[in-house]
């Protein structure tokens, strides 16, 4: 298990699946709650509508036994007087809970009008013409005509009665809330169950109050079934329970395949790097995918790192080989002279031995400085005036074969005085080695840069060789003796020191012929900043 989750592919798949699962659960819960709330609102509206229809009929004085109550299965109804007695209920209602009244059969005592009270007034209608005595005592021959007329009159009377009731209901709806026949705008909602025709179901009940003149305040409890809401929520929940796992499985599979395809180049890079490590062949390179994403940039950066590492290793090997070769000559020469001197003291070349020793000491110092520079040694943060440094260093060079001319302007830089003096000394020594008649040292300021130039009037440096001469142990004239040409480390040291100080060292052709070496260093910040 630990190995499995150590894979980026597995973690990405699990992470994506968990995030989608949480999102689906949240969205599913929101949908279910919204669906349930919407359906319950519809049930409440249906129950309230049924209750108000009954309340309107009661408000206009319709007798209890004349109430047309809704079907109990769709809208079970209970009518309760102000004493809590059931006065009317749906015919097929067998039991009910949630309304506060458990009775399902009207109380006969509550339905009987009180003495001295008139029954609910019926809506005023046009009086129906009573049959005249003549019409009543008509012959049997006219019985059929009288029956037809009676039926027509009964239908007309029924139509007038219904129209009157509708008008009365409209009047009751427009009545004031506190007056007789007024229907309260306030409702009370509850949940319960009802048994209708032997089947029990859940309902939402709405209670509406109506104030009648002859029967006091009545409360109508009307219900609306929750079967549609329960069925819809159950169907949606079932669909989610089936669909969500399938969707999560699809998402997990797609994520696994996509990450596997995306990470395939990484596996190739890892395999190639493992092969390079095992073979120690830094000339090999990792494959670069033909894309423009992060993995392609990783591959290119890895190859650039391998190239830099290969260059560094090759340079280090060449440096060790060249250093060994350069050290071998003075050591062998010195040993030979000492052995000859030991066998024949009169033949000992003391000046030559001293010269070889000095050369060996200088070479060891150069190698030590290069090692420190390669190790990343940072220069000091002292302030150095290039003009003063040049005067001091040139005053100590008494054995130069050509006098040095100077054009010095004071300019300060930040860095190591000793390392900058070494750069100046190497440049002047190089110029003395190749010049014919003159060497010129110049210091000046050029904007934010301090410039030190060392020019000679020798043969100059060919353009194609102007970068190569800064490599270690490089001498353009390989036929020259080492005594005349040195070990080939002076210019390499000078450029490395310049780079460590944030500057550059380049070579160009001098205006009067020969070569000019240009050292550029950042000008030191003003004091006090």
């Amino acid at each position: 298990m630990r190995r499995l989750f150590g894979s980026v592919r597995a973690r990405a798949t699990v992470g994506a699946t968990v995030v989608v699962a949480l999102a689906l659960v949240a969205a599913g819960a929101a949908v279910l709650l919204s669906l349930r709330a919407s359906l319950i609102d519809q049930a409440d509206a249906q129950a309230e509508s049924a209750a108000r229809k009954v309340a309107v009929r009661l408000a206009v004085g319709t007798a209890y036994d004349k109430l047309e109550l809704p079907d109990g299965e769709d809208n079970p109804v209970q009518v309760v007087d102000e004493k809590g007695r059931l006065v009317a209920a749906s015919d097929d209602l067998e039991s009910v809970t949630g309304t506060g009244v458990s009775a399902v059969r009207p109380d006969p005592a509550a339905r009987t009008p009180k003495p001295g009270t008139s029954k609910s007034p019926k809506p005023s209608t046009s009086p129906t013409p009573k049959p005249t005595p003549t019409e009543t005592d008509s012959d049997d021959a006219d019985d059929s005509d009288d029956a037809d007329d009676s039926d027509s009159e009964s239908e007309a009377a029924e139509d007038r009665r219904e129209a009157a009731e509708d008008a009365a209901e409209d009047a009751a709806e427009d009545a004031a809330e506190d007056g007789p026949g007024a229907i309260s705008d306030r409702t009370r909602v509850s949940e319960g169950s009802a048994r209708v025709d032997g089947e029990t179901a859940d309902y939402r009940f709405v209670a509406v109050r109506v104030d009648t003149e002859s029967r006091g305040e009545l409360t109508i409890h009307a219900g609306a079934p929750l079967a549609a809401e329960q069925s819809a929520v159950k169907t949606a929940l079932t669909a989610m329970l089936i669909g969500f796992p399938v969707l999560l499985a699809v998402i997990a599979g797609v994520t696994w395949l996509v990450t596997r395809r995306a990470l395939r180049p990484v596996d190739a890079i890892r395999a190639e790097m493992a092969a390079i490590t095992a073979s120690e062949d830094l000339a090999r390179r990792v494959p670069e995918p033909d894309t423009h994403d992060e993995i392609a940039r990783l591959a290119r950066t890895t190859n650039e790192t391998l190239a830099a590492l290969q260059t560094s290793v090759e340079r280090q090997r060449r440096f060790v080989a060249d250093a060994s070769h350069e050290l071998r000559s003075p050591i062998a020469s010195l040993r030979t002279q000492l052995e000859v001197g030991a066998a024949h003291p009169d033949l000992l070349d003391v000046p030559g031995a001293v010269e070889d020793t000095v050369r060996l000491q200088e070479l060891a110092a150069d190698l030590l400085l290069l090692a420190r520079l390669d190790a990343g040694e940072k220069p000091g943060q002292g302030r150095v005036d290039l003009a003063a440094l040049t005067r001091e260093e040139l005053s100590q060079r008494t054995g130069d074969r050509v006098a040095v001319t100077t054009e010095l302007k004071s300019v300060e830089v930040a860095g190591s005085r000793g390392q900058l003096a070494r750069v100046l000394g190497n440049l002047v020594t190089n110029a003395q080695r190749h010049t014919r008649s003159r060497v010129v040292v110049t210091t000046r300021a050029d904007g934010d840069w301090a410039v030190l130039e060392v020019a000679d009037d020798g043969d100059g440096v060919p353009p194609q060789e102007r970068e190569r001469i800064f490599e270690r142990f490089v001498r353009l004239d390989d036929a020259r003796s080492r005594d005349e040409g040195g070990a080939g480390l002076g210019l390499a040291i000078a450029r490395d020191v310049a780079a460590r100080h944030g500057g550059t060292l380049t070579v160009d052709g001098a205006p009067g012929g020969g070569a000019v070496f240009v050292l550029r260093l950042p000008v030191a910040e003003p004091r006090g900043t």
Side-chain angles (χ1 to χ4, degrees), residues 172-402:
E173 290 177 353
D174 295 336
E177 181 177 351
D178 296 332
I183 301 173
S184 175
D185 290 335
R186 301 183 183 90
T187 60
R188 187 178 75 252
V189 181
S190 62
E191 287 192 9
S193 62
R195 183 179 179 83
V196 180
D197 290 338
E199 295 184 0
T200 303
D202 295 328
Y203 288 84
R204 291 277 291 186
F205 289 98
V206 174
V208 176
R209 293 183 179 181
V210 57
D211 187 13
T212 63
E213 182 177 2
S214 61
R215 291 172 288 191
E217 185 180 75
L218 302 176
T219 302
I220 300 94
H221 298 278
L226 292 176
E229 176 265 336
Q230 293 172 347
S231 176
V233 171
K234 183 178 180 180
T235 301
L237 180 60
T238 302
M240 291 179 183
L241 292 177
I242 296 174
F244 283 4
V246 175
L247 181 59
L248 290 177
V250 172
I251 291 175
V254 171
T255 304
W256 179 270
L257 294 177
V258 170
T259 52
R260 178 181 180 182
R261 182 179 181 85
L263 294 176
R264 189 176 300 165
V266 177
D267 290 336
I269 293 173
R270 182 201 57 78
E272 185 63 24
M273 287 297 294
I276 292 173
T277 303
S279 63
E280 298 183 357
D281 183 7
L282 296 178
R284 300 175 63 172
R285 297 292 181 265
V286 300
E288 295 185 15
D290 189 16
T291 57
H292 300 283
D293 55 10
E294 292 82 355
I295 297 178
R297 291 194 290 271
L298 172 63
R300 286 192 289 271
T301 303
T302 302
N303 284 335
E304 292 172 359
T305 303
L306 288 173
L309 183 60
Q310 181 186 13
T311 301
S312 177
V313 170
E314 290 179 351
R315 182 180 179 183
Q316 189 70 22
R317 289 173 180 171
R318 188 169 58 250
F319 175 78
V320 172
D322 292 340
S324 300
H325 179 72
E326 294 295 331
L327 288 171
R328 186 183 299 116
S329 297
I331 291 176
S333 175
L334 182 59
R335 178 180 178 180
T336 301
Q337 294 181 41
L338 292 176
E339 288 176 348
V340 170
H344 307 281
D346 55 328
L347 298 178
L348 177 61
D349 183 9
V350 176
V354 173
E355 185 178 352
D356 285 339
T357 303
V358 171
R359 183 163 177 260
L360 183 61
Q361 183 182 9
E362 291 176 350
L363 181 58
D366 289 342
L367 293 176
L368 180 60
L369 178 57
L370 284 174
R372 292 203 307 267
L373 293 175
D374 289 341
E377 179 181 299
K378 295 183 179 180
Q381 295 301 317
R383 301 176 72 89
V384 181
D385 187 336
L386 292 183
L389 176 66
T390 302
R391 294 190 188 97
E392 181 180 349
E393 290 299 316
L394 293 180
S395 65
Q396 299 177 9
R397 300 178 66 95
T398 58
D400 290 340
R401 66 184 184 89
V402 176

Side-chain angles (χ1 to χ4, degrees), residues 6-21:
S7 168
V8 174
R9 187 187 313 163
R11 291 200 300 270
T13 301
V14 172
T17 304
V18 170
V19 170
V20 174

